[in-house]
Amino acid sequence: MKISKRLVTIVDAAEEFCAPALKTDNYPETVLDLVIFHRMHFHMSPKKAKKCYNHLKSAFVDWNEVRVSVVRDIQIVLRGSYDSLELTVFIKDFLDLIHKERRELSLESLRENNLREIRDFLKRIKGMKPATIEVALMRLKDHPILPLSLEMEKLLVKLRLAKKTETRDRKGKRFYSLVGPDKILPLHHYLLYHANVYHKIEEGEKLPAVLSLSRPKAARNSKPSAEEKTGENRR
């Protein structure tokens, strides 16, 4: 399967945009941390998400203290988010559910489950994003996929890198095979930010050139028009 020049350019831009915050070895190891860390990326840039995650971990003794804290105290720590209330409510609901069902704040036992069991469990959690579930599967079970949100799918279709008729699962697996495991996380977060978050933070700003269908000016003007040719002949 051949990778297009456009996708190569986007992958390069993704690595520059995300490094070093989203290198594989910098990603949270525990399932619970992974879910919270990834959810933050629906509310801010990768760089801010990394800072907010670290700040949250240092501001509270452990996840149980976060669980029993009032919303306002958590919001203060997450003030880098464009919607700290929604993010805070998700984190508290998530921690409350885990504590209620498991009597502990850990999801490490999920590692022993198969793909379907992990997916079914995470789907039950209120506010859980499908892309977060796919990231968990990719990290826990080496599931070969590019996790996608609906907005990311639309962007890829707009860039003519995917077809509307393709299922989300098929798109994700195809991009994984094209890009490879080492570059899939930066690509995921680059697309996630610009498809789901960018327009909410950078109002009125255009997407980066690599995510635009418009051709560079040099390319558009490479061939002189008939009018220009006539003028040149007259000179």
Side-chain angles (χ1 to χ4, degrees):
M1 202 179 295
K2 188 177 180 181
I3 186 170
S4 69
K5 290 182 179 180
R6 182 188 294 276
L7 184 55
V8 170
T9 303
I10 292 174
V11 170
D12 290 343
E15 288 193 293
E16 183 178 351
F17 177 77
C18 294
L22 290 170
K23 286 185 177 179
T24 302
D25 54 358
N26 285 339
Y27 224 78
E29 293 184 1
T30 72
V31 183
L32 193 147
D33 283 61
L34 185 154
V35 168
I36 293 175
F37 178 66
H38 186 265
R39 177 53 185 256
M40 287 180 172
H41 290 80
F42 281 89
H43 300 265
M44 61 194 88
S45 69
K47 187 175 181 180
K48 282 188 176 180
K50 185 69 174 178
K51 287 183 178 179
C52 272
Y53 171 76
N54 290 336
H55 192 188
L56 190 65
K57 295 280 283 186
S58 62
F60 297 91
V61 174
D62 53 23
W63 287 123
N64 191 57
E65 186 181 3
V66 176
R67 182 182 69 85
V68 300
S69 295
V70 297
V71 168
R72 176 177 168 76
D73 289 345
I74 303 172
Q75 273 191 280
I76 292 173
V77 178
L78 300 176
R79 58 183 174 270
S81 165
Y82 74 82
D83 190 348
S84 58
L85 178 59
E86 180 185 329
L87 179 57
T88 298
V89 169
F90 170 79
I91 292 173
K92 280 185 65 67
D93 286 348
F94 173 56
L95 294 174
D96 279 337
L97 176 66
I98 303 308
H99 184 266
K100 181 179 179 180
E101 291 200 359
R102 309 214 164 199
R103 298 301 176 186
E104 63 175 351
L105 289 177
S106 174
L107 289 176
E108 294 311 289
S109 60
L110 285 180
R111 295 179 184 275
E112 300 173 7
N113 296 354
N114 59 38
L115 290 175
R116 183 173 180 176
E117 290 170 337
I118 297 172
R119 185 181 281 114
D120 288 346
F121 176 83
L122 294 178
K123 277 183 177 180
R124 292 170 42 216
I125 298 170
K126 184 179 179 181
M128 181 67 70
K129 303 286 189 182
T132 300
I133 296 175
E134 296 305 317
V135 168
L137 294 176
M138 184 176 67
R139 299 288 293 167
L140 298 179
K141 295 293 184 179
D142 293 324
H143 188 45
I145 200 165
L146 169 64
L148 295 170
S149 66
L150 178 60
E151 291 77 10
M152 291 166 70
E153 284 189 273
K154 289 179 179 178
L155 179 58
L156 289 172
V157 170
K158 183 179 178 181
L159 292 171
R160 298 170 189 164
L161 292 172
K163 297 179 180 179
K164 287 183 179 180
T165 53
E166 272 187 305
T167 64
R168 181 177 297 179
D169 186 67
R170 185 165 183 174
K171 288 189 190 82
K173 288 179 178 177
R174 180 168 62 82
F175 278 102
Y176 187 95
S177 66
L178 287 169
V179 175
D182 294 334
K183 298 183 179 182
I184 205 69
L185 269 178
L187 176 60
H188 164 71
H189 282 287
Y190 185 67
L191 294 175
L192 172 63
Y193 174 68
H194 288 99
N196 288 75
V197 183
Y198 184 79
H199 66 285
K200 298 174 183 177
I201 299 176
E202 308 291 345
E203 293 185 12
E205 293 293 324
K206 294 182 179 179
L207 287 172
V210 295
L211 297 178
S212 172
L213 277 177
S214 59
R215 297 166 60 194
K217 289 183 179 180
R220 291 201 303 266
N221 298 332
S222 59
K223 292 184 180 181
S225 64
E227 186 178 341
E228 289 173 332
K229 286 182 180 179
T230 303
E232 289 176 0
N233 292 335
R234 286 175 181 171
R235 288 197 292 272

